[in-house]
Amino acid sequence: MKSSKRILALFICLTLVFSMLVGCSNGQQKDENNGGESEQTSSIKPGKYIGKASGYGGPIEVEVEMGEDKIEGITVLEHSETVRISAPAFERIPKAIMDNQTVNVDAVSGCTASSVGIKMAVKDAVEQSGADMDIFNKKLEKQEVAKTDEEKTAEVVIIGGGGAGLSAAVSSLENGAKSVILIEKMPALGGNTILAGGAYNAVNPEKQKAQGIEDSIEKHFQQTYEGGHKVANPELVKVLTENALDGVKWLEGYGLEWKEKIGSVVGAMWERSNQTVEPLGTGYINVLEKAALDKGCEILLETKATGLIMEDGKIVGVKAEGIDKNYTLKAEKGVIVATGGYAANPEMVRKYLSDGVYTKDNLPEKIVSTNAPGLQGEGIIMAEEIGAKVIDMEHIQLLPMPGDKFGPSINVEHSFFINKEGNRYVKEDGGRDEICLATFEQPDGQYYMINDSKIIPENRLTLSGEKLDNLIAKGTVVEADTLDDLAKAINVPAENLKATCEKFNSYVESKNDPEFGRAVWGEKIDKGPFYATLRYPALHHTMGGLKINTKCEVLGQDDNPIPGLYAAGEVTGGIHGANRLGGNAIADIVVFGRIAGKSVMGK
Ligand code: ADP
């Protein structure tokens, strides 16, 4: 990761030197009042300045070279931003600042916090040079881009560049597609998939046996179906659970590296979560993007589908808007909708709430979302416009933690949860809905996950690949040598926390939790330093969506397939019922993405 950052920094440097040579001012400030060039005495002390600011993942450090009266170069020295998601910000923000000679440039959508961090770090450096910030912080005028029309044709058009869309792209190419266009509205691929904890539930006997874990496909089916309150379509659950392991092997075939150990991610209900070596969902997106590009998929970023084109009852293409183009994308064999869910759209979530686990009454008005900003439900709306049927829209899932509060681990085996009184209140390996509903009942609707040093690896990276020390610096994770100190730091009665921990450790020993019935166990929590992560529920997954059959064909109001229209991933309904098991979403997008790619090719 370090060397890739250095390459990125070098690339930015070269880009900026190039843009300096071709595009920068000639050493005079433009006088905007009289429209001409005028000599100004610069207050800048030329030289190199180090600027620092906070980004999304931690501190961002830049070196800014200031000339007599302009920014001559920007080099990113260090950052801990999420790989891939933040890449467009690092590619574009320094260049935009150089091109426009102001730090007041637009943030890149999808990586706002990283964009702001880079801008603020550059600003910090420019200020140190004594530069007049009225000039270097000037606001840019919005420029309207005139769009041209363009028509493109492919056998398959896929909307959405998350895990389902990319799996479908690879699969349709494997199944003979000669041309595939995938469009993604954000500047980077990945969607919610890349933000996910990354666990993939699949019964994996080889690995599970080595850990002494008993499991079976029937058990995975049962837990998925019953964990979803028996609302799902059992046929779809069967397809999911029977094909999950094949998806693991398929990804491995394209180079995905799995960790040796099988875990149990929060809400998974059993130890069958396969986890990737690369952090979060980055491994999936890296591998699938490479496979799709190697096979010839054309990927159009910042291209947003606005409607499906239907002719004589058949879907034949997609209308889309790029930055400077209005596209008509013709699809000879079909369109696959893989636009994900709508948990970044709280109004849409609320609109459909009725009698599910969460209702208009028990869901707090103010609730955060774990989702990438692009997850607005457009695929569902577009498909509904041409007559598609939706199901299970009243069922949403909350994650018992926001996306930036995973803390040292998203797994449950080596942690316990306490409320602000220092007491356990729920079984940590329970369903996500069970944990969230119980959390709403606690003081402030919040809880602390407690861990100890046994969970912290030597490199001090969290299970999701974040730097633990950055999380501690940000205050997301609290570290203390003793339970007494930890209790003090988080303002929880120390006697309660210690008594809870002692009781918990006795349950670990007997593998029996008489209070809450927990079944998944790790080690005792008894070796300082100790860690506490404050968490609370966040909108996470929308279980409802387009109604599909086992071939991923989208069904109309009459329950017959709409010719030419397929869907996969979170945009669909019927797979998870009223509650999705943690770790089943990645299995879903891979299994059904592959099926959609096959079906669109008539196989
Ligand atoms: P899944 O897990 O089902 O693959 P993701 O959330 O990972 O879902 O990916 C869905 C992707 O679809 C996101 O990257 C999102 O930005 C993209 N998307 C959503 N709506 C549109 C749209 N109208 N046009 C193009 N891309 C879209």
Side-chain angles (χ1 to χ4, degrees):
M1 212 153 99
K2 273 234 172 299
S3 71
S4 68
K5 268 188 210 163
R6 256 187 242 126
I7 293 167
L8 178 67
L10 185 67
F11 168 76
I12 290 168
C13 241
L14 292 175
T15 315
L16 297 182
V17 169
F18 175 73
S19 66
M20 253 170 53
L21 292 174
V22 297
C24 283
S25 78
N26 59 4
Q28 290 175 321
Q29 298 297 335
K30 183 122 171 155
D31 183 339
E32 287 177 340
N33 292 331
N34 63 19
E37 307 277 323
S38 72
E39 293 292 337
Q40 282 184 7
T41 320
S42 171
S43 54
I44 298 173
K45 187 160 175 269
K48 288 182 177 171
Y49 295 89
I50 305 290
K52 291 181 189 166
S54 292
Y56 177 80
I60 296 177
E61 196 174 295
V62 298
E63 182 185 83
V64 177
E65 187 169 356
M66 296 299 293
E68 294 279 321
D69 50 15
K70 68 173 193 269
I71 303 170
E72 302 234 355
I74 301 170
T75 309
V76 178
L77 299 177
E78 196 55 70
H79 74 84
S80 306
E81 303 302 280
T82 321
V83 261
R84 287 202 68 122
I85 301 172
S86 64
F90 285 102
E91 278 157 26
R92 294 182 196 183
I93 295 290
K95 182 169 184 327
I97 293 176
M98 290 287 298
D99 288 350
N100 297 290
Q101 290 293 308
T102 173
V103 297
N104 205 344
V105 295
D106 285 344
V108 180
S109 64
C111 36
T112 310
S114 303
S115 304
V116 172
I118 300 166
K119 289 197 294 178
M120 289 303 109
V122 175
K123 187 170 177 226
D124 177 34
V126 174
E127 276 172 348
Q128 292 171 44
S129 75
D132 179 352
M133 293 315 286
D134 283 348
I135 295 169
F136 289 97
N137 198 20
K138 68 177 181 276
K139 209 166 162 33
L140 290 175
E141 272 174 34
K142 279 251 173 291
Q143 284 181 348
E144 287 299 320
V145 183
K147 293 196 183 189
T148 53
D149 292 339
E150 184 167 332
E151 190 175 298
K152 279 171 159 295
T153 303
E155 285 193 335
V156 181
V157 174
I158 299 172
I159 315 173
L166 285 167
S167 297
V170 175
S171 164
S172 53
L173 288 156
E174 279 176 342
N175 283 286
K178 290 188 190 64
S179 51
V180 174
I181 296 175
L182 180 148
I183 61 171
E184 165 57 54
K185 72 177 183 178
M186 302 306 280
L189 294 173
N192 269 354
T193 305
I194 203 165
L195 300 178
Y200 180 134
N201 289 346
V203 178
N204 195 339
E206 233 172 87
K207 288 187 175 176
Q208 286 173 308
K209 269 197 192 120
Q211 286 173 240
I213 304 164
E214 286 291 322
D215 202 5
S216 66
I217 288 176
E218 295 72 53
K219 187 167 183 153
H220 190 186
F221 174 93
Q222 219 59 39
Q223 289 183 325
T224 301
Y225 186 61
E226 284 169 16
H229 309 308
K230 301 187 180 172
V231 170
N233 173 353
E235 282 183 23
L236 294 176
V237 181
K238 198 162 174 288
V239 171
L240 173 78
T241 51
E242 285 180 354
N243 292 285
L245 182 60
D246 198 46
V248 168
K249 306 268 182 221
W250 180 72
L251 289 164
E252 203 172 300
Y254 283 111
L256 189 72
E257 285 184 82
W258 296 103
K259 285 185 180 165
E260 209 33 55
K261 242 181 148 201
I262 299 288
S264 180
V265 74
V266 172
M269 304 188 83
W270 200 245
E271 285 178 280
R272 69 169 72 87
S273 306
N274 297 259
Q275 278 161 334
T276 58
V277 170
E278 283 194 73
L280 302 168
T282 45
Y284 301 103
I285 299 299
N286 287 343
V287 160
L288 288 169
E289 179 192 24
K290 182 169 183 316
L293 290 173
D294 285 353
K295 288 180 183 297
C297 179
E298 182 179 0
I299 297 178
L300 302 176
L301 295 175
E302 290 178 280
T303 304
K304 176 175 159 177
T306 53
L308 296 165
I309 307 170
M310 191 176 220
E311 280 172 13
D312 303 327
K314 184 175 187 283
I315 295 302
V316 294
V318 176
K319 286 273 179 205
E321 285 174 8
I323 289 188
D324 54 3
K325 296 217 171 83
N326 288 319
Y327 289 107
T328 300
L329 303 172
K330 294 209 162 155
E332 290 167 343
K333 302 239 187 254
V335 171
I336 301 174
V337 183
T339 47
Y342 54 96
N345 184 347
E347 289 82 36
M348 186 161 168
V349 167
R350 197 156 268 284
K351 174 178 152 192
Y352 286 103
L353 289 178
S354 60
D355 58 353
V357 172
Y358 301 102
T359 63
K360 287 192 167 83
D361 291 332
N362 71 11
L363 187 77
E365 284 277 352
K366 278 203 164 62
I367 185 151
V368 295
S369 171
T370 61
N371 279 213
L375 281 302
Q376 298 288 332
E378 289 145 13
I380 294 173
I381 296 166
M382 270 183 276
E384 272 194 295
E385 276 167 8
I386 55 88
K389 193 168 184 173
V390 292
I391 53 162
D392 296 345
M393 296 294 282
E394 67 276 34
H395 299 303
I396 56 150
Q397 176 172 80
L398 308 192
L399 189 68
M401 65 204 106
D404 61 344
K405 301 211 168 13
F406 288 175
S409 173
I410 47 164
N411 285 8
V412 292
E413 51 270 36
H414 194 63
S415 65
F416 63 84
F417 301 163
I418 54 161
N419 61 18
K420 290 192 170 175
E421 283 148 4
N423 300 320
R424 280 180 74 220
Y425 62 95
V426 71
K427 60 176 183 191
E428 294 80 358
D429 58 349
R432 289 176 170 179
D433 52 354
E434 196 179 345
I435 298 171
C436 290
L437 288 173
T439 302
F440 287 146
E441 303 294 313
Q442 307 310 308
D444 299 338
Q446 301 179 328
Y447 69 101
Y448 285 102
M449 172 178 72
I450 305 293
N451 308 103
D452 73 357
S453 63
K454 287 180 194 161
I455 206 172
I456 310 299
E458 239 171 62
N459 61 11
R460 288 181 68 82
L461 289 183
T462 71
L463 197 72
S464 326
E466 295 174 284
K467 286 185 184 162
L468 181 66
D469 293 317
N470 281 343
L471 299 181
I472 293 170
K474 276 205 299 190
T476 309
V477 176
V478 177
E479 182 183 48
D481 285 338
T482 63
L483 282 176
D484 272 307
D485 290 345
L486 189 72
K488 204 167 157 205
I490 60 176
N491 199 21
V492 156
E495 292 318 309
N496 291 2
L497 174 57
K498 284 191 292 186
T500 300
C501 192
E502 204 171 303
K503 234 190 300 175
F504 174 79
N505 286 340
S506 76
Y507 301 162
V508 174
E509 209 160 273
S510 60
K511 290 202 169 21
N512 177 34
D513 172 10
E515 284 182 285
F516 303 103
R518 169 170 166 152
V520 173
W521 300 104
E523 289 180 77
K524 285 185 188 175
I525 295 191
D526 56 3
K527 189 168 179 286
F530 296 92
Y531 298 88
T533 309
L534 183 66
R535 291 167 155 192
Y536 40 88
L539 291 177
H540 186 53
H541 190 98
T542 45
M543 267 82 69
L546 302 177
K547 187 168 184 188
I548 55 165
N549 58 20
T550 52
K551 292 173 79 182
C552 289
E553 293 169 314
V554 176
L555 307 183
Q557 298 302 326
D558 57 0
D559 280 334
N560 285 319
I562 297 172
L565 190 61
Y566 304 81
E570 197 178 337
V571 73
T572 66
I575 297 162
H576 307 288
N579 173 57
R580 176 178 64 77
L581 297 199
N584 266 2
I586 304 270
D588 165 1
I589 60 184
V590 174
V591 167
F592 288 98
R594 289 178 75 193
I595 293 174
K598 204 169 161 185
S599 296
V600 72
M601 294 309 295
K603 297 200 175 164

